[in-house]
PDB file of all heavy atoms in Angstrom:
ATOM      1  N   ASN A  57       2.881  10.989  10.291  1.00 96.00           N
ATOM      2  CA  ASN A  57       2.768  11.885  11.450  1.00 96.00           C
ATOM      3  C   ASN A  57       3.560  13.176  11.266  1.00 96.00           C
ATOM      4  O   ASN A  57       3.214  14.203  11.841  1.00 96.00           O
ATOM      5  CB  ASN A  57       3.217  11.167  12.728  1.00 96.00           C
ATOM      6  CG  ASN A  57       2.162  10.208  13.240  1.00 96.00           C
ATOM      7  OD1 ASN A  57       0.964  10.414  13.049  1.00 96.00           O
ATOM      8  ND2 ASN A  57       2.603   9.143  13.891  1.00 96.00           N
ATOM      9  N   ALA A  58       4.622  13.144  10.456  1.00 96.00           N
ATOM     10  CA  ALA A  58       5.456  14.331  10.244  1.00 96.00           C
ATOM     11  C   ALA A  58       4.845  15.322   9.256  1.00 96.00           C
ATOM     12  O   ALA A  58       5.233  16.487   9.230  1.00 96.00           O
ATOM     13  CB  ALA A  58       6.844  13.907   9.748  1.00 96.00           C
ATOM     14  N   ALA A  59       3.891  14.885   8.446  1.00 95.00           N
ATOM     15  CA  ALA A  59       3.291  15.772   7.437  1.00 95.00           C
ATOM     16  C   ALA A  59       2.144  16.566   8.060  1.00 95.00           C
ATOM     17  O   ALA A  59       1.165  15.981   8.514  1.00 95.00           O
ATOM     18  CB  ALA A  59       2.784  14.948   6.256  1.00 95.00           C
ATOM     19  N   PRO A  60       2.252  17.898   8.107  1.00 95.00           N
ATOM     20  CA  PRO A  60       1.224  18.699   8.773  1.00 95.00           C
ATOM     21  C   PRO A  60      -0.147  18.634   8.097  1.00 95.00           C
ATOM     22  O   PRO A  60      -1.166  18.840   8.746  1.00 95.00           O
ATOM     23  CB  PRO A  60       1.788  20.122   8.735  1.00 95.00           C
ATOM     24  CG  PRO A  60       2.837  20.107   7.680  1.00 95.00           C
ATOM     25  CD  PRO A  60       3.339  18.702   7.571  1.00 95.00           C
ATOM     26  N   GLU A  61      -0.171  18.299   6.805  1.00 95.00           N
ATOM     27  CA  GLU A  61      -1.448  18.248   6.085  1.00 95.00           C
ATOM     28  C   GLU A  61      -2.105  16.864   6.147  1.00 95.00           C
ATOM     29  O   GLU A  61      -3.182  16.659   5.612  1.00 95.00           O
ATOM     30  CB  GLU A  61      -1.267  18.680   4.621  1.00 95.00           C
ATOM     31  CG  GLU A  61      -0.466  17.735   3.758  1.00 95.00           C
ATOM     32  CD  GLU A  61       1.055  17.883   3.867  1.00 95.00           C
ATOM     33  OE1 GLU A  61       1.550  18.612   4.742  1.00 95.00           O
ATOM     34  OE2 GLU A  61       1.749  17.259   3.064  1.00 95.00           O
ATOM     35  N   TRP A  62      -1.441  15.914   6.810  1.00 96.00           N
ATOM     36  CA  TRP A  62      -1.951  14.544   6.921  1.00 96.00           C
ATOM     37  C   TRP A  62      -2.260  14.183   8.361  1.00 96.00           C
ATOM     38  O   TRP A  62      -1.639  14.697   9.289  1.00 96.00           O
ATOM     39  CB  TRP A  62      -0.920  13.542   6.406  1.00 96.00           C
ATOM     40  CG  TRP A  62      -0.689  13.553   4.935  1.00 96.00           C
ATOM     41  CD1 TRP A  62      -1.399  14.220   3.983  1.00 96.00           C
ATOM     42  CD2 TRP A  62       0.348  12.860   4.237  1.00 96.00           C
ATOM     43  NE1 TRP A  62      -0.873  13.980   2.733  1.00 96.00           N
ATOM     44  CE2 TRP A  62       0.192  13.146   2.861  1.00 96.00           C
ATOM     45  CE3 TRP A  62       1.370  12.019   4.631  1.00 96.00           C
ATOM     46  CZ2 TRP A  62       1.036  12.615   1.886  1.00 96.00           C
ATOM     47  CZ3 TRP A  62       2.198  11.490   3.667  1.00 96.00           C
ATOM     48  CH2 TRP A  62       2.032  11.796   2.299  1.00 96.00           C
ATOM     49  N   THR A  63      -3.194  13.266   8.515  1.00 97.00           N
ATOM     50  CA  THR A  63      -3.436  12.658   9.818  1.00 97.00           C
ATOM     51  C   THR A  63      -3.423  11.146   9.611  1.00 97.00           C
ATOM     52  O   THR A  63      -4.001  10.633   8.641  1.00 97.00           O
ATOM     53  CB  THR A  63      -4.760  13.142  10.452  1.00 97.00           C
ATOM     54  OG1 THR A  63      -4.879  12.601  11.757  1.00 97.00           O
ATOM     55  CG2 THR A  63      -5.976  12.741   9.647  1.00 97.00           C
ATOM     56  N   LEU A  64      -2.746  10.439  10.488  1.00 97.00           N
ATOM     57  CA  LEU A  64      -2.585   8.990  10.359  1.00 97.00           C
ATOM     58  C   LEU A  64      -3.873   8.279  10.751  1.00 97.00           C
ATOM     59  O   LEU A  64      -4.380   8.454  11.858  1.00 97.00           O
ATOM     60  CB  LEU A  64      -1.432   8.502  11.241  1.00 97.00           C
ATOM     61  CG  LEU A  64      -1.214   6.985  11.306  1.00 97.00           C
ATOM     62  CD1 LEU A  64      -0.821   6.426   9.945  1.00 97.00           C
ATOM     63  CD2 LEU A  64      -0.148   6.654  12.342  1.00 97.00           C
ATOM     64  N   VAL A  65      -4.384   7.474   9.829  1.00 97.00           N
ATOM     65  CA  VAL A  65      -5.541   6.633  10.134  1.00 97.00           C
ATOM     66  C   VAL A  65      -5.032   5.356  10.785  1.00 97.00           C
ATOM     67  O   VAL A  65      -5.399   5.030  11.915  1.00 97.00           O
ATOM     68  CB  VAL A  65      -6.352   6.294   8.854  1.00 97.00           C
ATOM     69  CG1 VAL A  65      -7.467   5.313   9.162  1.00 97.00           C
ATOM     70  CG2 VAL A  65      -6.905   7.553   8.217  1.00 97.00           C
ATOM     71  N   GLU A  66      -4.171   4.649  10.060  1.00 96.00           N
ATOM     72  CA  GLU A  66      -3.608   3.392  10.562  1.00 96.00           C
ATOM     73  C   GLU A  66      -2.574   2.899   9.567  1.00 96.00           C
ATOM     74  O   GLU A  66      -2.629   3.219   8.385  1.00 96.00           O
ATOM     75  CB  GLU A  66      -4.735   2.358  10.686  1.00 96.00           C
ATOM     76  CG  GLU A  66      -4.361   1.104  11.418  1.00 96.00           C
ATOM     77  CD  GLU A  66      -5.564   0.188  11.677  1.00 96.00           C
ATOM     78  OE1 GLU A  66      -6.708   0.682  11.732  1.00 96.00           O
ATOM     79  OE2 GLU A  66      -5.345  -1.025  11.808  1.00 96.00           O
ATOM     80  N   VAL A  67      -1.628   2.097  10.068  1.00 96.00           N
ATOM     81  CA  VAL A  67      -0.707   1.394   9.187  1.00 96.00           C
ATOM     82  C   VAL A  67      -1.205  -0.049   9.152  1.00 96.00           C
ATOM     83  O   VAL A  67      -1.192  -0.739  10.158  1.00 96.00           O
ATOM     84  CB  VAL A  67       0.755   1.451   9.683  1.00 96.00           C
ATOM     85  CG1 VAL A  67       1.655   0.618   8.777  1.00 96.00           C
ATOM     86  CG2 VAL A  67       1.247   2.891   9.744  1.00 96.00           C
ATOM     87  N   PHE A  68      -1.691  -0.460   7.997  1.00 95.00           N
ATOM     88  CA  PHE A  68      -2.205  -1.812   7.815  1.00 95.00           C
ATOM     89  C   PHE A  68      -1.044  -2.675   7.336  1.00 95.00           C
ATOM     90  O   PHE A  68      -0.332  -2.287   6.413  1.00 95.00           O
ATOM     91  CB  PHE A  68      -3.328  -1.819   6.783  1.00 95.00           C
ATOM     92  CG  PHE A  68      -4.512  -0.993   7.196  1.00 95.00           C
ATOM     93  CD1 PHE A  68      -4.590   0.346   6.855  1.00 95.00           C
ATOM     94  CD2 PHE A  68      -5.538  -1.545   7.941  1.00 95.00           C
ATOM     95  CE1 PHE A  68      -5.667   1.126   7.230  1.00 95.00           C
ATOM     96  CE2 PHE A  68      -6.629  -0.776   8.332  1.00 95.00           C
ATOM     97  CZ  PHE A  68      -6.697   0.557   7.976  1.00 95.00           C
ATOM     98  N   ALA A  69      -0.854  -3.837   7.946  1.00 91.00           N
ATOM     99  CA  ALA A  69       0.310  -4.652   7.613  1.00 91.00           C
ATOM    100  C   ALA A  69      -0.011  -6.138   7.679  1.00 91.00           C
ATOM    101  O   ALA A  69      -0.499  -6.625   8.689  1.00 91.00           O
ATOM    102  CB  ALA A  69       1.457  -4.313   8.562  1.00 91.00           C
ATOM    103  N   ASP A  70       0.244  -6.829   6.570  1.00 90.00           N
ATOM    104  CA  ASP A  70       0.080  -8.282   6.505  1.00 90.00           C
ATOM    105  C   ASP A  70       1.456  -8.920   6.518  1.00 90.00           C
ATOM    106  O   ASP A  70       2.332  -8.549   5.749  1.00 90.00           O
ATOM    107  CB  ASP A  70      -0.675  -8.684   5.230  1.00 90.00           C
ATOM    108  CG  ASP A  70      -2.160  -8.351   5.315  1.00 90.00           C
ATOM    109  OD1 ASP A  70      -2.792  -8.761   6.304  1.00 90.00           O
ATOM    110  OD2 ASP A  70      -2.679  -7.700   4.385  1.00 90.00           O
ATOM    111  N   GLU A  71       1.624  -9.899   7.389  1.00 83.00           N
ATOM    112  CA  GLU A  71       2.917 -10.537   7.586  1.00 83.00           C
ATOM    113  C   GLU A  71       2.886 -11.986   7.110  1.00 83.00           C
ATOM    114  O   GLU A  71       1.977 -12.738   7.460  1.00 83.00           O
ATOM    115  CB  GLU A  71       3.226 -10.491   9.086  1.00 83.00           C
ATOM    116  CG  GLU A  71       4.474 -11.184   9.510  1.00 83.00           C
ATOM    117  CD  GLU A  71       4.606 -11.200  11.022  1.00 83.00           C
ATOM    118  OE1 GLU A  71       3.922 -10.429  11.714  1.00 83.00           O
ATOM    119  OE2 GLU A  71       5.403 -11.999  11.501  1.00 83.00           O
ATOM    120  N   GLY A  72       3.874 -12.360   6.292  1.00 72.00           N
ATOM    121  CA  GLY A  72       3.995 -13.738   5.827  1.00 72.00           C
ATOM    122  C   GLY A  72       2.877 -14.165   4.900  1.00 72.00           C
ATOM    123  O   GLY A  72       2.489 -15.324   4.875  1.00 72.00           O
ATOM    124  N   ILE A  73       2.341 -13.209   4.111  1.00 73.00           N
ATOM    125  CA  ILE A  73       1.206 -13.483   3.238  1.00 73.00           C
ATOM    126  C   ILE A  73       1.581 -13.187   1.790  1.00 73.00           C
ATOM    127  O   ILE A  73       2.185 -12.164   1.493  1.00 73.00           O
ATOM    128  CB  ILE A  73      -0.019 -12.611   3.629  1.00 73.00           C
ATOM    129  CG1 ILE A  73      -0.380 -12.790   5.099  1.00 73.00           C
ATOM    130  CG2 ILE A  73      -1.208 -12.891   2.731  1.00 73.00           C
ATOM    131  CD1 ILE A  73      -0.968 -14.111   5.469  1.00 73.00           C
ATOM    132  N   SER A  74       1.150 -14.065   0.878  1.00 68.00           N
ATOM    133  CA  SER A  74       1.392 -13.868  -0.555  1.00 68.00           C
ATOM    134  C   SER A  74       0.632 -12.650  -1.065  1.00 68.00           C
ATOM    135  O   SER A  74      -0.457 -12.348  -0.588  1.00 68.00           O
ATOM    136  CB  SER A  74       0.935 -15.115  -1.316  1.00 68.00           C
ATOM    137  OG  SER A  74       0.898 -14.846  -2.690  1.00 68.00           O
ATOM    138  N   GLY A  75       1.194 -11.997  -2.061  1.00 60.00           N
ATOM    139  CA  GLY A  75       0.548 -10.822  -2.637  1.00 60.00           C
ATOM    140  C   GLY A  75      -0.295 -11.123  -3.866  1.00 60.00           C
ATOM    141  O   GLY A  75      -0.848 -10.234  -4.478  1.00 60.00           O
ATOM    142  N   VAL A  76      -0.411 -12.411  -4.238  1.00 69.00           N
ATOM    143  CA  VAL A  76      -1.150 -12.766  -5.439  1.00 69.00           C
ATOM    144  C   VAL A  76      -2.654 -12.653  -5.220  1.00 69.00           C
ATOM    145  O   VAL A  76      -3.387 -12.169  -6.056  1.00 69.00           O
ATOM    146  CB  VAL A  76      -0.765 -14.191  -5.914  1.00 69.00           C
ATOM    147  CG1 VAL A  76      -1.600 -14.607  -7.109  1.00 69.00           C
ATOM    148  CG2 VAL A  76       0.713 -14.256  -6.259  1.00 69.00           C
ATOM    149  N   SER A  77      -3.119 -13.085  -4.059  1.00 77.00           N
ATOM    150  CA  SER A  77      -4.550 -13.062  -3.744  1.00 77.00           C
ATOM    151  C   SER A  77      -4.786 -12.158  -2.538  1.00 77.00           C
ATOM    152  O   SER A  77      -3.894 -11.940  -1.729  1.00 77.00           O
ATOM    153  CB  SER A  77      -5.019 -14.485  -3.422  1.00 77.00           C
ATOM    154  OG  SER A  77      -6.334 -14.466  -2.914  1.00 77.00           O
TER     155      SER A  77
END
Side-chain angles (χ1 to χ4, degrees):
N57 283 330
E61 68 277 9
W62 290 351
T63 185
L64 175 64
V65 174
E66 191 172 335
V67 176
F68 298 90
D70 286 308
E71 176 186 343
I73 305 290
S74 168
V76 176
S77 171

